[in-house]
Amino acid sequence: MSRKLIASLAIAGVGSLALTACAGGGGTKSTSAGTGPGGVTTLKLVVADYGTGPSNTSSKYWQSIITAFEAQNPKIKVNVTAINWNDFDNQVQTMIQNHQYPDITEGDYFANYAQEKLLYSADQVLSNPDNLLPVFKNQGSYDGVQYGMPWTTSSRTLFYNKKLFAEAGITTPPTTWAQVQTDATKIKATGNVGYGLPLGPEEAQAEALLWFLGNGGGYQNASGQYDINSTQNVQTLDFLKSFVASGVTEPNPASKNRTDLWQQFASGTIGMINGSPALIPIINSGGKLTSSDWASVQIPGKNGPLNTTLGVCDNVAAFNANGHQAAIKAFLDFAYQDKYQLQFDKEYDLLPATTSATQALSSDPIFGPFLKALPQSVQYPSTTSWANTKTQIQQTIGTALTGNPKSVLDQIQQTATKSQ
Amino acid sequence: MSTNVPRANPLRRFTPLLWVGPAAALIIGVVIWPVVVMATTSTLNISPDGFNLGSAGLGNYRELFQEIALPGVLMRTAVWVVGVVVVTMVVSLLLAQLFNQAFPGRRVARWALIAPWGASVMMTSLIFRWALNAQNGVVNVILHDLGLVNLGTDQADWLGRPVAAFVWMMAVAVFVSLPFSTYAILAGLQTMDSAVYEAARVDGASPWRIYRSITLPLLRPALIVATLINVINVFNSFPIIWEMTRGGPGYSTSTTTTFMFILKQSYIGESAALSVINFAIVVIVALVFLKVAKWKDQVD
Amino acid sequence: MSSIAEPLPAETLSGESLPPKRVRRPRAPITTRKLILSVIAYAVALVFVLPYVFMVLTAMRPASDISAPTLLPDHFDFSNFTSIWSTGFGSNLGASLIVAGGATVLVLLVAVPAAYYCARRRFRGRMLFLVMVLATQMFQPAAMLVGIQREFIQFNLPPLVSLILINGGFNMAFAIWILTAYFSSIPAELEEAAMVDGSSRLGALGRITLPLAMPGIMTALIFTFIAAWNEFIVALTLTLGQSSGNTPLTVAINNYIGQYSIDWGHLFAGSVIATVPVIILFAAIEGRVVGGLTAGSIK
C-alpha cells in the first residue's frame, strides 16, 4: 500500500508541471552601473518597444543612435533594453521596487517617481528643455518642475472605411453622436461592424476619455481635480450603454482590445474606429484597404466635432540613483536631435515631441492633420494616483456597459482621490 | 573540540548534513523563505514603487476584505477548482482505462496524450485565445461550417461573455491537467496483478463489479495523490486566465491568483495579504483532504 | 500524512528483488471490440494534438491571410520560421537551454545524494526533512509571487543564475521523492557485496546503485527540464533590465504581443520552435524513463 503511495507520489511530481507555467518573480540587482574601469560610465537605458515585430524592434533604432553617440563619446557606454509595451509599466515598477534603477527610461512615466525624488528635472539633463512641446509640459511636471520629457506623441482621430460608407449609402462622415449612431446602424445592416469600441483591459482609458470629452467631461475638471463620476461622464456612459445595446458595435466591447479591433478595421469589416497614426501601418500591412479606402476626421462629440482630442505623449525620465547626470545629459542632448526624432516618427508612425521637429514635419500630407490637433490636445492626469486609477479604469470601465455606470465611476473616483 | 574525544564522533554527527544539507538549503532558501517574506510584507505599508512606509498592522487585510470584487472572486475560485478537478479526474479515469487496453498503435496514441504537457501552458492558452476569436477562430470556423454559429456575432464571441469565457478557460485547464492525471492513474493500473482479475473473472464477477471492487480500491493511492496535486495546481493556475481574458471584464473571470496579480501592480501590501490567504487556503485544503482520505482508510 | 511521508524502510524491501521487468502481453488477434477501442483512442489522441496542429498551421500562414476565416492557409509560407532567427531568437533559445539545463543539473546534483541518504540511513531530522520536502510539493511560485519578488531584491546575481536556483528549488521535492522511492527499492545487499569486494561506499553507489536507479533519475531529469523550459512569469520578472537577447524563450515569445498589434505568425512560429527541443529530449530518453513513460508504469 504505502509503496504504491510512494510510486504515486513520485508520479505526482508531474503535477507540478501541469499548470505551473507560472511563478512569481523578483529581480536580481544588476550591478549598479557605476563608473567602470578607465573612467567609463555605463548608462542603463530602458525603452518601450514600439515595433510590430522583429524587423523594426525599438532596440534597433536606439542601437543606431547609441553607436553614433559612443563613437563621439568614448567615455560613455549605453546598454539598451527594449520591453514589450504591455509589460512596460509593470516591469519598470518592479525594477524600481527592487532598487535596480535604470538611468533613462522612455515609455510611460509616472509622477510617483518624481514624488519619490528619484528623477533629475528636465533642465538638469537637457541643454535646451524649452524645445520640448509646451503643451505636454504640465503633464510631465510635479510641483511645478518638469521631470517627464516628451519623446514621442500622438493624437487621435476617427478613422472610417469609405468602402463600407459607400456600400451603406452614407456620403459624409459623422460629426455628432447621433450621426455616429445612424451611420453605424446603416453599416451594421450591410453585415459589418458599425463602430469598433475597444473598452477591454488594454487601452480602455483612452477610448473612454475620447467619449467623455465629447460631452464636456473628462477625468479632471478645469481646476485639475479628479472628476471622474461627473454628471457628464455618467451621461456619456449611459449613451454608450444604449449605443452598444442597439447592436451596432462589435459584441461585448468590455472584453475587446484595441490590437484586435485595429486588425479587424484593417481587414475591412469595421466602419468606424478611433485611431492614431499607428493604425496606418497596420492598415497597410493588412493588404485589404488601399489608401483611398479610408480617411480620418475629427472625432464626433455629442453636438459637434471635438475641438480638442486626446494627445498622448510617451516620456523620457532620467533617474538620479546612479548619479550619472553628466553622461545622461550628453546622451539626451544627442538623442533629441531632429533627425532622430523624425526617424522615430517615420519608423513607428508617431508624432514628434519637440518644437523644431514638429515644424519640420508640419507640411507632411499624412501627419499634418494629426499635428494640427496636437496643440489643443487634452492629456491624461499627471498626479501620483493616476497609475492606480488607470489600472482600475482599464479593468472595470467596460463593466458599465452592462452594469451601473454611476457606481462604476464612483468606484474609480474613489481610487483616484484615495491616494491624493 | 576537546582532544580526548575520538575525532570520528563529532564528524560523524555532521555526515547527514553533507548528504542532505544542500537540498535542505535550497528548499529553505528558495521555497520556504519567500513565504516568510510574503507574510511580513502583508503587514507593511508599501508604496507602489516598493518603498517601505512602515507598519500597516492588519490594514492591508482590512483593505482587502473591503474590496467589492473579493466575494465574487472567491466564489469563482471555488467553482474553478472543484469544476476543473472533478472533470479532470473523471475524464482521466476513463482515458486511463482506455489507454490501458492493448490495441495496435497504443504507443503512438499515448505519446499524443503528452502534448499539452510538453508545450507550455502559456502557449496553449494563446492557441485557444486565437482559436476562439469571434471573426476567424478555428473553433468558430468549424461551428460556422456546421451551421451552428455566425462569425462575428455575440454567439461566436466566446471570450467576450464572462460565463462562456470562464467555462472555456475551465476546459483549457482540464485539457492541460489531463496528461498528468491520466498517467498517474495509468501507473496505478499497471501495477495491478492480473491474477486477481483472473480469479474474479472465474468467480463470475461482472466487469463493472470488478472495476468497483478491485480496480478502484487499488487505485486509491494514485487517485488521492493525483487529486491533491491537481487541487493545488488548479488553485494556483495563472497563465490560462491571464492570457485569455486578463480576468476581465471587471474581475468577472478572475480567480484569487489573477486578482492577486492585478492587485500587485498597485497595492503590494494588499496583494501580499491575499497571497497569505491563498497560501493558507492551499495548506488547509491539503490537510483536510489528506485527513479525509486517511479517515476513509480506517473505515474500510 | 506520515504514511505518505515515510518512505519504506530499506529492511522491509530487502527481501524483494529489483523492480520486476515489464511483461509484454502476447498480441491478441484483432477483434471488433479492439477495433472500436483503437478508433476511440485515436480520436482522443487527435483531440490532444489538434490545438498544436493549428498552432503549426497558423505559423505557416502568409501575413495577408493571417485573419482569414478558413481552416487551412491559402498557401503555405515558411517565412515566419526563417525571419524569426534574425531577431536574436537563437540567443533566447540559448538562454532557455542554460536555465533549463542548469536547473536540471542542480536538481540532480543535490537531490541524488539527499535521496540516497534518506533511503539508506535513519538519521536525526530525517522525518523532518522528508515532511519538509513533501510540504514544498504544495508550494507554487504563483502563490508566492510577492515573497519571491521581494526576497530577490536582496540577492545580487545574474538573472539566469537566479532562474536556475528558483526552477531548481521548486522542482526539488518531486526529484527527491521519486529518487528516495527508487533507492529504497534497490537492496542494500548489492552495495554491501560490492564493498566486501573492496569498493568504497561511493564506488559502490556509482557502479551499482546509480545505474539501477537510472529510470528514476531520468524521470526526475525530464520533469525538471520541461518545467524549467516552460516556466514563464518568474522568467518575465527576473530578466528585467536584460537586453532582449538574454531572456528565455517564453518571454521572447510573449513579446510578439505588441502595443498596437499582435504578431500571431511569429508568436506561433516561435512556439513551434520552442517545443522542438522538448520533443527531441523526450524521444532521446523516453525509453529509459520509469519503464518507459508510455508504458506508464512506476514500480
Side-chain angles (χ1 to χ4, degrees):
Chain A
M1 162 80 188
S2 84
R3 178 146 168 224
K4 293 238 173 72
L5 256 181
I6 291 175
S8 338
L9 255 176
I11 193 109
V14 189
S16 42
L17 304 164
L19 284 161
T20 36
C22 160
T28 49
K29 264 210 203 92
S30 56
T31 47
S32 160
T35 306
V40 173
T41 307
T42 305
L43 293 181
K44 196 161 141 190
L45 168 68
V46 178
V47 297
D49 199 336
Y50 295 79
T52 48
S55 54
N56 64 349
T57 162
S58 293
S59 42
K60 274 192 186 169
Y61 162 86
W62 285 100
Q63 201 51 57
S64 73
I65 298 182
I66 291 167
T67 308
F69 173 76
E70 285 177 347
Q72 286 186 23
N73 299 273
K75 289 280 188 212
I76 306 176
K77 277 185 56 57
V78 185
N79 289 334
V80 63
T81 309
I83 295 179
N84 174 341
W85 245 115
N86 295 322
D87 302 320
F88 186 83
D89 294 356
N90 209 339
Q91 298 245 30
V92 170
Q93 233 153 350
T94 307
M95 272 188 208
I96 289 161
Q97 286 168 9
N98 296 354
H99 306 300
Q100 311 167 273
Y101 300 100
D103 289 294
I104 307 171
T105 59
E106 187 279 309
D108 269 346
Y109 134 92
F110 296 116
N112 310 46
Y113 307 152
Q115 185 196 21
E116 311 272 12
K117 302 200 174 26
L118 300 175
L119 302 180
Y120 290 119
S121 60
D123 55 8
Q124 287 174 305
V125 289
L126 278 180
S127 301
N128 185 10
D130 297 338
N131 190 28
L132 299 172
L133 281 181
V135 69
F136 292 105
K137 180 166 180 164
N138 216 356
Q139 194 252 9
S141 296
Y142 175 78
D143 269 359
V145 182
Q146 184 171 11
Y147 294 94
M149 299 160 266
W151 173 261
T152 185
T153 61
S154 91
S155 62
R156 309 289 164 111
T157 56
L158 179 79
F159 284 62
Y160 67 102
N161 182 323
K162 287 181 176 172
K163 263 208 241 176
L164 294 184
F165 268 55
E167 201 180 324
I170 310 165
T171 47
T172 52
T175 56
T176 65
W177 286 359
Q179 289 170 6
V180 170
Q181 174 83 59
T182 324
D183 293 351
T185 313
K186 287 179 183 165
I187 293 166
K188 178 75 193 175
T190 68
N192 290 287
V193 175
Y195 187 98
L197 186 68
L199 285 177
E202 190 184 83
E203 198 62 13
Q205 84 286 359
E207 185 72 18
L209 180 55
L210 292 171
W211 287 93
F212 289 155
L213 292 174
N215 192 24
Y219 293 136
Q220 291 167 301
N221 60 20
S223 57
Q225 296 299 309
Y226 274 107
D227 196 10
I228 296 175
N229 51 357
S230 64
T231 326
Q232 295 100 312
N233 289 355
V234 176
Q235 276 178 1
T236 305
L237 286 186
D238 283 335
F239 167 78
L240 280 179
K241 207 172 158 171
S242 63
F243 183 58
V244 170
S246 68
V248 298
T249 65
E250 81 282 359
N252 309 309
S255 63
K256 293 297 169 291
N257 290 328
R258 189 177 66 180
T259 44
D260 301 330
L261 290 184
W262 276 12
Q263 199 163 24
Q264 220 183 311
F265 182 86
S267 71
T269 56
I270 292 184
M272 296 169 266
I273 195 163
N274 286 329
S276 75
L279 175 50
I280 300 168
I282 296 172
I283 293 173
N284 294 341
S285 69
K288 295 277 191 292
L289 300 178
T290 65
S291 56
S292 60
D293 290 334
W294 62 271
S296 89
V297 291
Q298 276 177 297
I299 293 175
K302 190 176 180 181
N303 304 316
L306 286 186
N307 48 12
T308 61
T309 180
L310 167 64
V312 178
C313 77
D314 292 334
N315 285 292
V316 164
F319 286 78
N320 57 23
N322 307 325
H324 296 152
Q325 186 182 350
I328 293 173
K329 189 169 184 173
F331 180 73
L332 288 183
D333 280 343
F334 189 88
Y336 264 103
Q337 295 174 71
D338 285 1
K339 62 174 176 182
Y340 293 130
Q341 276 283 303
L342 296 178
Q343 192 188 330
F344 192 87
D345 304 327
K346 280 275 177 278
E347 180 77 63
Y348 301 116
D349 292 281
L350 289 161
L351 306 175
T354 61
T355 310
S356 53
T358 311
Q359 282 158 355
L361 201 62
S362 58
S363 55
D364 186 285
I366 289 182
F367 291 111
F370 291 99
L371 280 174
K372 283 194 188 66
L374 258 189
Q376 295 88 40
S377 62
V378 170
Q379 283 88 50
Y380 291 131
S382 58
T383 69
T384 49
S385 62
W386 171 243
N388 292 350
T389 310
K390 177 178 145 184
T391 307
Q392 197 177 342
I393 294 171
Q394 289 173 337
Q395 197 74 32
T396 62
I397 202 154
T399 59
L401 299 175
T402 49
N404 177 344
K406 177 89 173 81
S407 65
V408 171
L409 291 175
D410 283 344
Q411 283 286 313
I412 299 171
Q413 172 75 7
Q414 211 184 347
T415 301
T417 49
K418 187 157 72 173
S419 35
Q420 256 185 317
Chain B
M1 198 192 290
S2 69
T3 46
N4 53 10
V5 177
R7 266 191 66 224
N9 258 350
L11 276 184
R12 175 143 339 145
R13 282 190 34 210
F14 292 110
T15 317
L17 264 188
L18 281 178
W19 293 82
V20 178
L26 192 63
I27 286 176
I28 290 169
V30 173
V31 184
I32 294 177
W33 191 246
V35 180
V36 178
V37 176
M38 195 169 79
T40 46
T41 305
S42 74
T43 63
L44 295 175
N45 181 2
I46 308 262
S47 79
D49 300 343
F51 286 87
N52 184 349
L53 308 176
S55 169
L58 293 177
N60 288 320
Y61 290 87
R62 265 197 301 278
E63 291 273 317
L64 176 66
F65 288 124
Q66 283 166 1
E67 291 282 349
I68 293 178
L70 189 68
V73 167
L74 289 172
M75 279 286 302
R76 260 188 305 282
T77 307
V79 172
W80 169 261
V81 173
V82 174
V84 172
V85 173
V86 168
V87 175
T88 301
M89 293 317 294
V90 171
V91 176
S92 297
L93 276 171
L94 293 171
L95 287 182
Q97 214 54 39
L98 175 67
F99 283 83
N100 199 34
Q101 311 290 331
F103 59 85
R106 177 172 79 162
R107 206 182 140 90
V108 178
R110 282 187 178 183
W111 264 75
L113 220 55
I114 298 175
W117 167 60
S120 81
V121 179
M122 174 194 90
M123 290 174 199
T124 307
S125 311
L126 284 168
I127 294 166
F128 277 93
R129 174 176 156 188
W130 173 246
L132 290 170
N133 181 311
Q135 266 67 42
N136 54 18
V138 166
V139 170
N140 282 320
V141 170
I142 294 172
L143 291 174
H144 174 76
D145 291 350
L146 295 173
L148 296 172
V149 153
N150 283 325
L151 294 179
T153 56
D154 179 57
Q155 194 192 5
D157 187 21
W158 302 103
L159 295 180
R161 304 193 306 269
V163 175
F166 204 67
V167 171
W168 268 105
M169 292 194 293
M170 283 172 75
V172 175
V174 169
F175 182 76
V176 298
S177 309
L178 281 175
F180 151 67
S181 315
T182 307
Y183 272 99
I185 296 168
L186 257 180
L189 286 175
Q190 303 267 320
T191 57
M192 307 228 166
D193 196 346
S194 52
V196 181
Y197 285 100
E198 289 306 324
R201 235 171 257 132
V202 170
D203 291 347
S206 69
W208 171 238
R209 181 71 216 272
I210 294 178
Y211 189 75
R212 253 196 31 222
S213 323
I214 301 176
T215 313
L216 273 182
L218 284 171
L219 278 178
R220 269 205 40 210
L223 286 176
I224 287 173
V225 170
T227 307
L228 179 62
I229 298 282
N230 267 326
V231 167
I232 293 165
N233 285 337
V234 171
F235 181 85
N236 287 320
S237 170
F238 170 86
I240 298 174
I241 293 177
W242 190 249
E243 296 287 1
M244 286 171 79
T245 65
R246 294 260 148 147
Y251 303 99
S252 59
T253 53
S254 268
T255 61
T256 48
T257 311
T258 45
F259 190 52
M260 177 200 79
F261 195 81
I262 295 168
L263 281 177
K264 190 171 90 73
Q265 295 174 17
S266 318
Y267 310 103
I268 296 170
E270 210 179 315
S271 174
L274 182 53
S275 306
V276 170
I277 290 169
N278 267 351
F279 195 74
I281 293 176
V282 168
V283 171
I284 291 167
V285 167
L287 291 177
V288 168
F289 180 83
L290 286 172
K291 196 145 183 72
V292 169
K294 270 268 275 290
W295 171 78
K296 279 203 177 139
D297 247 354
Q298 289 157 0
V299 174
D300 283 355
Chain C
M1 182 106 187
S2 66
S3 76
I4 296 182
E6 179 84 59
L8 283 189
E11 47 274 24
T12 58
L13 278 166
S14 55
E16 300 186 27
S17 57
L18 292 182
K21 291 264 184 327
R22 204 171 108 218
V23 183
R24 215 190 161 81
R25 294 200 191 88
R27 270 275 159 86
I30 296 190
T31 57
T32 326
R33 181 169 169 277
K34 229 172 227 167
L35 197 68
I36 294 169
L37 268 182
S38 3
V39 169
I40 296 173
Y42 295 148
V44 169
L46 186 65
V47 169
F48 273 82
V49 293
L50 213 51
Y52 306 99
V53 170
F54 279 111
M55 174 168 100
V56 176
L57 286 176
T58 307
M60 292 185 193
R61 278 176 185 260
S64 57
D65 184 48
I66 198 84
S67 49
T70 52
L71 286 186
L72 297 174
D74 65 356
H75 66 276
F76 289 96
D77 177 348
F78 293 92
S79 62
N80 284 330
F81 289 95
T82 47
S83 59
I84 201 169
W85 299 104
S86 64
T87 68
F89 198 73
S91 55
N92 300 129
L93 204 59
S96 272
L97 281 172
I98 290 171
V99 169
T104 308
V105 170
L106 175 69
V107 165
L108 291 181
L109 279 180
V110 174
V112 166
Y116 174 77
Y117 202 76
C118 287
R120 286 283 181 268
R121 285 269 190 285
R122 305 220 148 307
F123 55 93
R124 217 182 333 164
R126 172 172 171 276
M127 262 322 289
L128 178 73
F129 174 73
L130 285 171
V131 169
M132 181 175 89
V133 169
L134 180 76
T136 58
Q137 186 78 69
M138 296 181 198
F139 290 28
Q140 295 232 330
M144 298 152 52
L145 218 50
V146 183
I148 293 177
Q149 178 179 331
R150 293 190 63 80
E151 176 187 356
F152 274 80
I153 291 171
Q154 282 120 42
F155 295 166
N156 192 359
L157 301 164
L160 292 188
V161 174
S162 310
L163 283 177
I164 288 173
L165 285 176
I166 291 187
N167 280 304
F170 278 95
N171 289 297
M172 183 71 62
F174 167 68
I176 289 179
W177 270 102
I178 190 168
L179 290 169
T180 304
Y182 251 83
F183 286 130
S184 302
S185 69
I186 297 168
E189 287 85 343
L190 290 173
E191 286 166 54
E192 280 149 20
M195 280 154 74
V196 169
D197 294 345
S199 303
S200 65
R201 171 167 285 281
L202 282 178
L205 173 64
R207 281 186 313 128
I208 311 277
T209 317
L210 282 187
L212 286 174
M214 208 35 98
I217 292 175
M218 285 295 171
T219 308
L221 180 148
I222 195 162
F223 284 146
T224 307
F225 186 90
I226 290 183
W229 182 263
N230 286 335
E231 197 285 321
F232 168 51
I233 298 259
V234 172
L236 183 70
T237 17
L238 281 189
T239 50
L240 286 176
Q242 295 300 295
S243 57
S244 52
N246 285 340
T247 58
L249 282 173
T250 41
V251 180
I253 286 168
N254 201 50
N255 276 342
Y256 290 113
I257 300 175
Q259 190 192 1
Y260 300 117
S261 59
I262 300 179
D263 185 354
W264 290 104
H266 279 107
L267 193 148
F268 287 144
S271 303
V272 172
I273 295 169
T275 47
V276 169
V278 175
I279 295 170
I280 292 174
L281 179 72
F282 225 98
I285 70 172
E286 183 264 337
R288 310 191 56 180
V289 173
V290 200
L293 237 194
T294 49
S297 77
I298 287 193
K299 292 295 191 309

